[in-house]
């Protein structure tokens, strides 16, 4: 079962992020939603959506986003299981940046 | 989501609120002005049959209603289809089944309804005294006076409403629209004097 989802989403300006966050937060198994807009174009905007919950259904989330005219560009982070495991930094990450 | 909540949602998403408000004022004003013209014109022509005035007024109201609905619906539908296609190009996806597409289709119908109903209602309201007079409640000359007062009051109220939504002087805007009705009435009454 999914506990956290981080999605990169492209959406029209309307419906707004407020309406989208409220709609996502009402989905079964979702406990909280955070949406950050990081790029705004003339007609569309890119947002990062972080969804936390105890039993998130990815397909239902995707369907809701599509209902709102949004498209999932990528799934950037997923946490599943009884406990959320945070991302850890490894030496390889640092060397990769170098 | 309930029916009213869905409509409110569609209005918000499509941004049709301000457009329909504009259509409502413009066409209700048209309806009131047209019937005012018919009523004062009938008075100038010394028509004493209520049914003629009611028929002419209702005919005009129906014509304005139908033309308003068809014109606004077709115009809005064409404009919104272009906008939706534009947005679909930016999104690289089909939005016709999304809430955006639904709101877009709703907006066309909504503007058509507002554009059709507003002139019809304002025109029929101005004709109410003649309908009552036809049923023998009061003489026709009183119906003419009442109808003119109702028409001018409607114009004032529409102007005042404009003043209110633009957060400016309500009375001043009411008087401005009232002046249009007064000009029309005066011109027609001059015809009566020179006849």
């Amino acid at each position: 079962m999914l506990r956290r989802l981080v999605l990169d989403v492209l959406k029209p300006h309307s419906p707004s992020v407020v309406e989208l966050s409220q709609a996502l937060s009402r989905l079964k198994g979702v406990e909280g939603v955070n949406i950050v807009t990081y790029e705004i174009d003339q007609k569309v905007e890119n947002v990062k959506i972080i969804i936390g919950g105890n039993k998130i259904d990815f397909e239902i989330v995707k369907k809701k986003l599509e209902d709102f005219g949004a498209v999932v560009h990528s799934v950037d982070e997923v946490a599943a299981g009884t406990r959320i495991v945070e991302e850890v930094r490894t030496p390889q990450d640092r060397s990769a940046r170098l | 989501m309930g029916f009213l909540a869905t409509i409110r949602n569609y209005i918000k998403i499509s941004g049709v609120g301000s457009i329909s408000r504009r259509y409502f004022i413009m066409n209700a004003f048209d309806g009131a002005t047209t019937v005012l013209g018919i009523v004062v014109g009938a008075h100038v022509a010394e028509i004493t049959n209520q049914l003629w005035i009611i028929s002419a007024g209702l005919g005009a109201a129906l014509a304005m209603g139908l033309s308003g609905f068809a014109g606004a619906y077709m115009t809005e539908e064409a404009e919104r289809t272009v906008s939706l296609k534009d947005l679909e190009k930016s999104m690289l996806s089909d939005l016709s089944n999304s809430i955006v597409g639904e709101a877009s289709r709703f907006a066309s119908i909504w503007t058509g309804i507002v554009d059709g109903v507003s002139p019809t209602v304002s025109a029929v309201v101005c004709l109410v005294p003649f309908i009552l007079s036809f049923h023998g409640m009061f003489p026709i000359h009183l119906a003419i006076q009442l109808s003119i007062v109702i028409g001018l009051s409607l114009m004032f109220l529409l102007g005042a409403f404009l003043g209110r939504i633009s957060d400016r002087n309500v009375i001043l805007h009411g008087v401005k629209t009232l002046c249009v009705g007064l000009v029309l009435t005066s011109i027609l009454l001059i015809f009566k004097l020179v006849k």
Side-chain angles (χ1 to χ4, degrees), chain B residues 16-148:
Chain B
V16 77
S18 62
I19 301 165
S20 52
R21 203 163 51 199
R22 210 173 304 153
Y23 276 136
F24 170 77
I25 304 275
M26 203 168 71
N27 291 291
F29 189 75
D30 266 359
T33 313
T34 305
V35 171
L36 187 66
I38 290 173
V39 170
V40 183
H43 174 59
V44 171
E46 289 168 2
I47 290 171
T48 51
N49 188 327
Q50 297 98 328
L51 203 58
W52 292 4
I53 300 171
I54 294 169
S55 305
L58 284 182
L62 189 66
M64 281 187 289
L66 273 176
S67 119
F69 177 80
Y73 173 74
M74 287 190 286
T75 313
E76 202 63 28
E77 204 257 346
E79 285 291 338
R80 289 199 176 259
T81 304
V82 172
S83 301
L84 190 67
K85 277 185 181 166
D86 252 16
L87 188 58
E88 283 178 336
K89 269 185 202 163
S90 303
M91 291 288 302
L92 297 173
S93 69
D94 177 21
L95 295 174
S96 55
N97 291 324
S98 72
I99 199 166
V100 182
E102 286 166 11
S104 172
R105 286 190 290 278
F106 167 82
S108 313
I109 297 168
W110 178 255
T111 43
I113 290 171
V114 170
D115 210 63
V117 168
S118 56
T120 312
V121 169
S122 68
V124 169
V125 166
C126 294
L127 290 172
V128 166
F130 291 100
I131 297 166
L132 296 177
S133 172
F134 180 68
H135 287 97
M137 291 184 77
F138 38 76
I140 189 164
H141 66 86
L142 188 60
I144 290 173
Q145 288 166 9
L146 272 175
S147 179
I148 292 171

Side-chain angles (χ1 to χ4, degrees), chain A residues 30-92:
Chain A
V30 173
E31 288 174 342
V33 177
N34 178 307
I35 303 183
V36 181
T37 307
Y38 66 89
E39 195 179 341
I40 298 180
D41 287 336
Q42 201 183 354
K43 294 190 180 93
V44 293
E45 55 198 38
N46 283 88
V47 294
K48 180 166 89 172
I49 301 179
I50 306 162
I51 302 171
N54 48 25
K55 203 175 179 183
I56 304 165
D57 188 324
F58 176 67
E59 287 307 319
I60 291 175
V61 170
K62 201 173 148 207
K63 175 80 177 53
K64 183 55 80 179
L65 287 169
E66 283 167 2
D67 286 347
F68 272 67
V71 179
V72 177
H73 267 180
S74 60
V75 181
D76 294 343
E77 188 186 326
V78 183
T82 51
R83 168 173 92 79
I84 293 177
V85 179
E86 299 294 343
E87 179 192 9
V88 288
R89 286 193 164 197
T90 61
Q92 288 88 339

Side-chain angles (χ1 to χ4, degrees), chain B residues 137-172:
Chain B
M137 291 184 77
F138 38 76
I140 189 164
H141 66 86
L142 188 60
I144 290 173
Q145 288 166 9
L146 272 175
S147 179
I148 292 171
V149 169
I150 290 173
L152 292 175
S153 306
L154 265 180
M155 288 177 165
F156 177 83
L157 286 175
L158 289 168
F161 181 57
L162 276 182
R164 196 181 151 211
I165 57 174
S166 60
D167 203 19
R168 288 187 287 180
N169 193 321
V170 171
I171 305 287
L172 181 71

